Amino acid sequence: MAEQTRSPAVATALGAPFWEAELVAAMRHPSVGLEVTRRCYEMVDLLAYCSVTRIDGVIVAGGLNGVDASAVADLHAHGVWVIAVVEDEAAAVRVRQIGADAAVISAPRSCAAVAARLGQQARLLI
């Protein structure tokens, strides 16, 4: 019998760009396999949620206000991994330097493709 893998439980903090709802919907698609438990719009909300809820990881916008080494360390202290959605390779390097576990470049902005890459990264981290 094949081993079944569970869907990683994640919360998001992507801010409020026009594509946020579409990306979250794509992440929830069965082919991606992410269980989005909460959508936050600010890091303070995400940090509070992670302090009281058991989830596997978070997906944040790399350029969101408050995404810094201290916030990433706080998330790690709660046993949560961090994947950042970024615009380019320079931003990917920056979020890795502050401790993010992975970075997914969002260009070109195809929510289905970005969601698929997020799902792949999340499964590597659980």
Side-chain angles (χ1 to χ4, degrees), residues 10-118:
V10 300
T12 65
L14 298 168
F18 68 93
W19 50 266
E20 186 267 349
E22 184 181 351
L23 179 58
V24 170
M27 288 189 302
R28 288 180 167 150
H29 191 276
S31 67
V32 173
L34 293 175
E35 178 188 347
V36 179
T37 63
R38 177 131 177 166
R39 291 165 61 184
C40 302
Y41 294 95
E42 297 177 345
M43 281 302 293
V44 67
D45 295 334
L46 183 67
L47 290 164
Y49 179 71
C50 290
S51 72
V52 297
T53 305
R54 178 68 186 126
I55 58 174
D56 297 305
V58 297
I59 297 171
V60 300
L64 186 67
N65 189 27
V67 175
D68 57 23
S70 176
V72 172
D74 286 348
L75 291 164
H76 286 159
H78 293 298
V80 175
W81 42 255
V82 178
I83 300 175
V85 177
V86 297
E87 292 291 322
D88 55 32
E89 188 58 40
V93 168
R94 184 190 74 78
V95 296
R96 285 188 202 105
Q97 288 174 338
I98 64 169
D101 298 285
V104 170
I105 297 173
S106 64
R109 188 149 307 168
S110 162
C111 287
V114 172
R117 290 193 306 269
L118 288 167

